[in-house]
Amino acid sequence: EQGIIVDAVAALGGDRIARATSFSLQAEGTHFNLGQDVTPGAASQTFSVTRYARVLDWSTGQSRMRVEQTRTPNFAYFQGNAPQTQTFGLDGDVAYTLLANGNAVRASETVAGERRAETYHHPVAVLRAALQPGARLSNVRTEGPERLVDMTTTDNVALTLAIDATSSQPTRVTLRSYQANLGDIVISSRFFEYQDVDGLKLPSRLTTSLDDFMTADLRVKTQVLDAAVGDLAAPASITAAPAGPGPSAPIVVTEEVAPGVWLLAGQSHHSAVVELSDHLLLIEAPQSEARTLAVIAAARALRPDKPLTELVVSHHHFDHSAGLRAAVSEGLAVIAHAGNAGFIEEMVKRPHTIVADALAKKPATLTLQTVDDARTISDRAMSIVLYPISGNPHSHTMLMAYLPKQRLLVQADAFSPGSDIQPYAANLVENIKKRNLQVDRIVPLHGTIVPYTELLKVVSAGSS
């Protein structure tokens, strides 16, 4: 097995890689908006990365990494279109984020594991790791134009290295991981366009993909071995603190909006419940499995004598569909925009074996109903009309729910009262007027309930 590593090291320039104590690179390029684009699978929304700096330090006997990046959205972004600067790092088992005010926040152990794996997504780093005593290599094989070897690093990161069968230059590093919406995933970093760099051959283009979706495409400007990289130690203020906690327990606050209509709020993402004659309908399964299960429990407690049978999904974005599988596990039929049908079917059938979620533990069959132009759900007690929000730059496959008797409009993301940035509000007004809806109040799935006049005021002021 060691032969494939020896060949790759020789192809890049020899044993200088094994002796390296640090590595740094500067790059620029593009980030893509995984799970948040205008349609499922689209890659039209991008961030321009004007500065990407990754620094690795091995001189202390354990990996230290710091990444600093500045990126600017090239689309109507709910956080605004100003450049965003982000700094995060890893010091052994301590993962942290540096905030704009200079304070450091320690991240969870899960994040630390993800960043530890990220340190190996460059040929220098992965080959250096493969040469360390204690690294385990196995299953050398040839697949098409590549030779592959499985590897477990000394800090127990399992990955696969592929090299070109002809040149022996590394072509990619892949590893299995887990993402709450997608379940089992494969993260791949690919290496292209090798160039001479100070006596070595190193790739000048790096891409990262999650399964088949590219998340980053970077062009390297500079990369250096054994340069001074400064102090990459985690800030002293957090090294003694425990690892950051995982997600906090969901808080669900119930607010009656009208007879038979409730808002389930309490945190950043809300849901709504509508009571019909013989059942309850839930609008939105957001944020996480835990939140959705808490929301479902709260909805059932409102009317214990009526079953909760239906879920309306506003749109496919990961933060608004994260509880989809949990809702299916609880027996809810799903109602969604026709353009999201394939996405929902795919999410429900994806394997979750690395971490067993609610649906993996409690399998259930998906019942899916779709909305093309409009869909009315009505009985003697209640009427709800689901409409697509056409032409919205945030999502092209988005639904809003209109309750004509109560003159309420339930919607997500198109208008979030309280935010200073409202890039999608004008489009929502256009859709309301096109449908000739008589709206008194907006029930948002972010923010607080407001009169319709508040939406008109925002659009009139031009803050959209």
Side-chain angles (χ1 to χ4, degrees):
E1 284 80 4
Q2 196 70 30
I4 187 174
I5 302 301
V6 172
D7 291 346
V9 169
L12 296 196
D15 61 0
R16 183 179 170 195
I17 289 173
R19 300 194 307 271
T21 58
S22 69
F23 176 74
S24 65
L25 69 80
Q26 301 268 347
E28 58 187 23
T30 303
H31 283 174
F32 298 87
N33 205 17
L34 173 67
Q36 302 294 124
D37 215 306
V38 291
T39 59
S44 61
Q45 294 186 343
T46 63
F47 298 83
S48 292
V49 181
T50 53
R51 178 174 182 267
Y52 177 90
R54 189 196 315 177
V55 181
L56 294 166
D57 177 17
W58 303 297
S59 63
T60 64
Q62 61 182 0
S63 291
R64 286 176 170 170
M65 176 182 72
R66 185 168 294 177
V67 173
E68 300 177 19
Q69 60 186 24
T70 300
R71 64 181 201 171
T72 304
N74 298 316
F75 56 98
Y77 195 45
F78 72 96
Q79 293 182 2
N81 288 77
Q84 308 165 345
T85 297
Q86 302 162 324
T87 302
F88 54 87
L90 176 74
D91 181 0
D93 294 328
V94 178
Y96 60 92
T97 299
L98 295 181
L99 305 179
N101 61 10
N103 292 335
V105 177
R106 184 166 179 177
S108 68
E109 292 181 358
T110 298
V111 172
E114 292 169 350
R115 291 189 188 162
R116 193 173 304 114
E118 185 182 344
T119 65
Y120 298 109
H121 282 237
H122 188 278
V124 168
V126 71
L127 290 178
R128 184 187 174 282
L131 293 169
Q132 297 301 306
R136 301 188 299 276
L137 305 175
S138 64
N139 193 24
V140 174
R141 60 209 183 268
T142 298
E143 295 181 3
E146 294 177 316
R147 296 167 62 200
L148 288 78
V149 61
D150 297 332
M151 182 170 91
T152 302
T153 66
T154 55
D155 54 358
N156 290 316
V157 174
L159 54 84
T160 297
L161 169 66
I163 71 172
D164 183 272
T166 302
S167 69
S168 292
Q169 293 173 345
T171 54
R172 58 191 170 98
V173 168
T174 62
L175 59 87
R176 295 180 70 234
S177 189
Y178 182 79
Q179 200 275 342
N181 289 62
L182 298 171
D184 302 351
I185 58 172
V186 174
I187 298 174
S188 302
S189 285
R190 297 179 181 272
F191 316 125
F192 303 94
E193 301 171 18
Y194 277 78
Q195 296 180 349
D196 292 326
V197 179
D198 192 22
L200 297 172
K201 287 192 175 295
L202 299 177
S204 63
R205 181 185 174 206
L206 311 171
T207 68
T208 303
S209 298
L210 190 157
D211 285 353
D212 294 329
F213 188 92
M214 185 180 293
T215 57
D217 187 351
L218 299 175
R219 295 280 179 174
V220 179
K221 299 169 66 177
T222 62
Q223 43 194 334
V224 182
L225 265 69
D226 297 326
V229 295
D231 183 7
L232 303 186
S237 59
I238 64 168
T239 53
S248 58
I251 299 170
V252 181
V253 177
T254 303
E255 176 183 353
E256 186 174 26
V257 182
V261 183
W262 298 267
L263 182 68
L264 302 185
Q267 290 174 283
S268 62
H269 291 60
H270 312 327
S271 301
V273 178
V274 180
E275 179 184 9
L276 290 97
S277 296
D278 60 354
H279 71 282
L280 302 177
L281 175 146
L282 178 66
I283 301 174
E284 211 73 314
Q287 203 166 18
S288 68
E289 172 183 292
R291 176 152 191 89
T292 293
L293 291 175
V295 163
I296 288 173
R300 286 172 171 161
L302 292 169
R303 293 289 185 265
D305 57 327
K306 291 184 178 180
L308 178 66
T309 61
E310 295 171 304
L311 165 69
V312 175
V313 176
S314 70
H315 60 304
H316 69 281
H317 287 174
F318 279 4
D319 61 322
H320 286 271
S321 61
L324 169 66
R325 286 173 54 92
V328 173
S329 79
E330 290 295 307
L332 275 63
V334 178
I335 305 171
H337 191 292
N340 291 331
F343 165 81
I344 289 172
E345 291 166 347
E346 173 68 15
M347 291 302 100
V348 169
K349 73 180 183 183
R350 284 187 67 97
H352 285 241
T353 62
I354 297 174
V355 177
D357 69 350
L359 188 57
K361 296 173 183 175
K362 187 180 175 183
T365 301
L366 170 67
T367 299
L368 177 63
Q369 304 167 25
T370 59
V371 180
D372 288 302
D373 181 62
R375 183 184 183 93
T376 300
I377 303 168
S378 183
D379 62 17
R380 66 180 184 277
M382 184 68 69
S383 181
I384 310 152
V385 189
L386 303 175
Y387 294 110
I389 306 179
S390 62
N392 192 281
H394 185 57
S395 168
H396 295 170
T397 54
M398 200 172 198
L399 295 179
M400 58 185 178
Y402 175 56
L403 283 67
K405 181 181 178 181
Q406 294 80 9
R407 296 168 70 100
L408 298 172
L409 186 74
V410 183
Q411 55 78 40
D413 289 358
F415 175 49
S416 300
S419 173
D420 294 330
I421 302 169
Q422 300 283 359
Y424 322 118
N427 172 263
L428 179 60
V429 172
E430 291 173 5
N431 276 269
I432 292 170
K433 291 181 176 179
K434 181 181 75 172
R435 299 286 184 177
N436 196 29
L437 306 183
Q438 305 304 305
V439 178
D440 287 344
R441 287 182 290 168
I442 302 288
V443 181
L445 301 184
H446 296 293
T448 58
I449 299 170
V450 295
Y452 177 56
T453 52
E454 185 67 23
L455 169 60
L456 296 177
K457 186 188 303 181
V458 166
V459 173
S460 177
S463 60
S464 58

